[in-house]
Amino acid sequence: MLTDYHLHLRPDDLAARAQEHFTEDNVARYRAVARERGIAELGVSEHVHRFEQSLAVWQHPFWQANAVDDLDAYCGFVRERTDLRLGIEADFVPGGEDRMANLLDERDFDYVLGSVHFLRDRAIDMDDHSVWDRGRSPEEIWRHYFQTLAEAARSGLFDILAHPDLVKVWGSERPRPEGDLRRYYEPAVEAIAEADVAVEVSTAGLRKPVRELYPAEAFLEMCFDAGAPVALSSDAHRPEDVGADYPQALELLERVGVSELCVFERRSRRLEPIGTVVG
Ligand SMILES: [Zn+2]
Ligand SMILES: [Zn+2]
């Protein structure tokens, strides 16, 4: 069985309103592409920062600009009018763990994706508030990123760590450290194993400047050797990207030896064999 657990029903731009995208017709478009690509299990995971309740957790200017929708209306729509698993993509906000835990525990999510998009208040994958324009070296940024990912794993807030090596998103546009990158991965993989959190294999990186799957093969190998389970996702923000480039992701999983994928229900996890894949 194939899954796509990292779906957004709307693009990231501020003009994309909930009422136009959280509709049964839009979900049917996502389902139709999933069916063509042989993906049975879908879950939606909107960004926490699109919801006004997130401002109780963090007051970053980017969140303040984005937090306009009601989280409970989203949860109600997904539960009552769709057959999608109910997820959310929540940032790891150091110092805000208790507040994020409250926000998450008050709702009956099937799973929570944990993302590190920011190092303190500087963004990894956006030009605004960028961490890259402060004169910090790639080594320093990569070290800080994977330390933060380790903290995210250990926080216990998340079921899946999304796009685990997002720090590479810019590819050659931002230099990456020289040599074997496993020295950066190590603390994160150790924390992932201890915390028993799943790691996401995401095809989204193929649509970014880096043009690679998340995570790098060496990172996934280390996770696999440490016993971490895998969740498979596209991070689609529009119907045509559901299950995008899955053949490439499945080749990676096969090379590394991953034969099962995580399935979630009300925050409990089980593993299902990938099995024979259509298309
Ligand atoms: Zn993300
Ligand atoms: Zn996402």
Side-chain angles (χ1 to χ4, degrees):
M1 172 161 83
L2 293 182
T3 62
D4 197 340
Y5 272 151
H6 191 154
L7 298 175
H8 300 268
L9 291 175
R10 59 176 163 192
D12 281 339
D13 59 283
L14 273 172
R17 312 302 314 157
Q19 59 267 31
E20 290 145 30
H21 294 271
F22 298 174
T23 67
E24 284 153 280
D25 283 351
N26 196 32
V27 171
R29 290 191 278 272
Y30 281 69
R31 270 277 170 218
V33 177
R35 210 172 301 118
E36 274 168 34
R37 295 180 172 164
I39 304 164
E41 173 86 356
L42 297 186
V44 64
S45 57
E46 293 298 327
H47 285 290
V48 72
H49 65 247
R50 301 300 293 257
F51 302 107
E52 52 202 15
Q53 286 89 342
S54 70
L55 296 179
V57 179
W58 204 29
Q59 289 277 340
H60 191 282
F62 175 72
W63 284 33
Q64 287 172 338
N66 272 271
V68 295
D69 292 315
D70 182 56
L71 180 56
D72 296 304
Y74 159 68
C75 295
F77 165 73
V78 175
R79 280 278 180 241
E80 287 152 33
R81 293 171 51 202
T82 81
D83 59 356
L84 305 174
R85 295 281 179 208
L86 175 60
I88 189 160
E89 180 174 8
D91 283 67
F92 176 58
V93 179
E97 290 90 339
D98 290 349
R99 300 190 297 278
M100 186 64 90
N102 289 340
L103 180 149
L104 298 172
D105 292 347
E106 283 164 9
R107 281 123 195 139
D108 67 338
F109 294 110
D110 288 312
Y111 60 91
V112 176
L113 292 177
S115 294
V116 175
H117 297 116
F118 288 87
L119 298 179
R120 298 198 191 91
D121 60 348
R122 307 304 295 177
I124 290 156
D125 61 340
M126 293 193 302
D127 282 326
D128 290 344
H129 315 285
S130 176
V131 73
W132 302 97
D133 62 12
R134 290 292 162 109
R136 294 174 69 189
S137 68
E139 289 75 20
E140 198 185 338
I141 294 174
W142 276 58
R143 200 178 314 111
H144 190 184
Y145 173 81
F146 286 104
Q147 277 167 0
T148 308
L149 190 70
E151 279 176 54
R154 286 207 174 89
S155 73
L157 289 166
F158 310 117
D159 301 298
I160 305 168
L161 291 184
H163 40 63
D165 60 349
L166 179 74
V167 70
K168 73 182 180 188
V169 60
W170 298 102
S172 56
E173 293 174 27
R174 307 279 197 294
R176 61 170 86 175
E178 305 275 325
D180 189 337
L181 297 170
R182 282 178 288 197
R183 66 193 190 277
Y184 295 97
Y185 306 154
E186 261 158 23
V189 174
E190 197 181 298
I192 286 165
E194 277 174 35
D196 190 31
V197 64
V199 289
E200 180 183 72
V201 169
S202 168
T203 61
L206 294 167
R207 305 189 298 277
K208 303 286 183 187
V210 66
R211 306 233 173 268
E212 289 176 18
L213 293 164
Y214 300 120
E217 186 155 346
F219 187 100
L220 188 64
E221 274 169 359
M222 290 165 72
C223 290
F224 180 74
D225 291 345
V230 169
L232 177 61
S233 296
S234 67
D235 205 348
H237 288 64
R238 47 182 198 163
E240 54 266 49
D241 289 333
V242 176
D245 300 306
Y246 267 26
Q248 219 169 308
L250 291 167
E251 276 171 34
L252 170 68
L253 294 175
E254 197 177 332
R255 272 200 308 277
V256 171
V258 177
S259 60
E260 295 175 311
L261 295 175
C262 295
V263 174
F264 290 91
E265 193 172 351
R266 311 274 169 167
R267 306 207 66 182
S268 98
R269 181 179 80 204
R270 64 173 203 278
L271 291 168
E272 288 276 344
I274 297 174
T276 319
V277 174
V278 187

